[in-house]
Amino acid sequence: MLDRYLNAAVLHDLKNRLAILSDELTKLGRLDLPAQAHSHARQAHEQAHVLTRKLVEFLTAQQASEAGGLRAAAAEEVPEAMLQDMHSEAQMLIHGGLQLQLEIAAAVPAFWFFDQHLVRLALDSALYNALRFARSRIVLGLRVEDGQLCFSVSDDGPGLQATPAHNSTGLGRLVCDEVAKAHRNKGRSGRSVLRNHADGGAVFELFLP
């Protein structure tokens, strides 16, 4: 029991210190420095962000493995606004000719009940995978299908069969599944899907009841 609490304390401390490091690197990037220094600061900031995300995923997976599993603290949220925020924040991660687009269906309700923290964790994981493999475009989507709200992240990369798996822990995929299952409503559970896109590339979908 002591080991479990000690591990959690150390991980949370690391997460907080990474947040401080990320904030300091952001401030560094705003200074009047040579372009090469800005490039190194940006890359360091991105790595700190990835490490923070991995730690949060690990803590979430650890929580899901405990008695009672992962629980969603669902509240009334504005799904379109959340996706808009995600799009804006992700712009700083886009380099070169990569485009980040939004596709929001007209019939999406103004409000939906879900745990925004957990949903963002799953979508951020999917977005980082898309950033690794996209050739020119990533699309963040939002629609309603079969009475469920569906967030999606698609890319125009090589698709799932061509995606190297040897350097993946599978942690992000596990967390996405647990986040989906933690959302329940009227006897239905959420689900996550990772598949090849009909037009090429891969698409991740998170369905919330």
Side-chain angles (χ1 to χ4, degrees):
M1 184 69 69
L2 177 62
D3 288 341
R4 182 163 68 92
Y5 287 122
L6 182 60
N7 288 340
V10 171
L11 287 169
H12 279 291
D13 184 51
L14 285 173
K15 176 177 173 290
N16 291 337
R17 292 180 184 276
L18 279 168
I20 294 172
L21 174 61
S22 181
D23 184 59
E24 290 299 317
L25 287 167
T26 298
K27 294 175 182 176
L28 180 63
R30 293 172 182 159
L31 297 179
D32 185 15
L33 298 170
Q36 188 175 13
H38 277 288
S39 176
H40 287 303
R42 184 182 68 245
Q43 292 179 37
H45 181 270
E46 290 176 4
Q47 290 304 312
H49 194 75
V50 170
L51 286 172
T52 302
R53 180 175 57 82
K54 287 295 184 183
L55 270 175
V56 174
E57 287 179 350
F58 181 78
L59 288 169
T60 304
Q62 189 177 58
Q63 182 180 352
S65 69
E66 296 174 355
L70 189 64
R71 296 181 180 180
E76 189 177 60
E77 304 288 355
V78 183
E80 183 174 347
M82 194 200 77
L83 201 66
Q84 292 276 7
D85 288 342
M86 182 178 172
H87 179 269
S88 298
E89 293 173 12
Q91 289 293 341
M92 68 180 69
L93 304 175
I94 303 296
H95 305 307
L98 198 60
Q99 295 182 341
L100 184 63
Q101 301 177 354
L102 277 172
E103 287 187 358
I104 299 175
V108 171
F111 301 96
W112 202 275
F113 279 86
F114 59 89
D115 187 320
Q116 183 170 173
H117 169 73
L118 291 180
V119 170
R120 275 298 302 265
L121 180 61
L123 293 177
D124 283 344
S125 178
L127 175 61
Y128 270 87
N129 277 334
L131 285 168
R132 291 173 60 198
F133 301 111
R135 293 190 177 100
S136 63
R137 186 177 64 144
I138 295 173
V139 179
L140 303 179
L142 181 61
R143 69 183 192 276
V144 173
E145 182 177 315
D146 189 28
Q148 293 187 311
L149 188 70
C150 178
F151 290 97
S152 64
V153 179
S154 60
D155 65 71
D156 61 352
L160 299 183
Q161 288 81 359
T163 300
H166 63 274
N167 60 348
S168 174
T169 62
L171 180 61
R173 190 74 191 94
L174 171 65
V175 168
C176 289
D177 285 341
E178 293 296 335
V179 167
K181 289 189 295 184
H183 286 82
R184 302 179 182 89
N185 185 29
K186 296 180 180 179
R188 302 181 74 183
S189 294
R191 61 188 175 93
S192 69
V193 178
L194 181 62
R195 59 179 175 83
N196 283 313
H197 197 282
D199 297 327
V203 56
F204 168 80
E205 295 169 314
L206 180 65
F207 292 88
L208 304 176

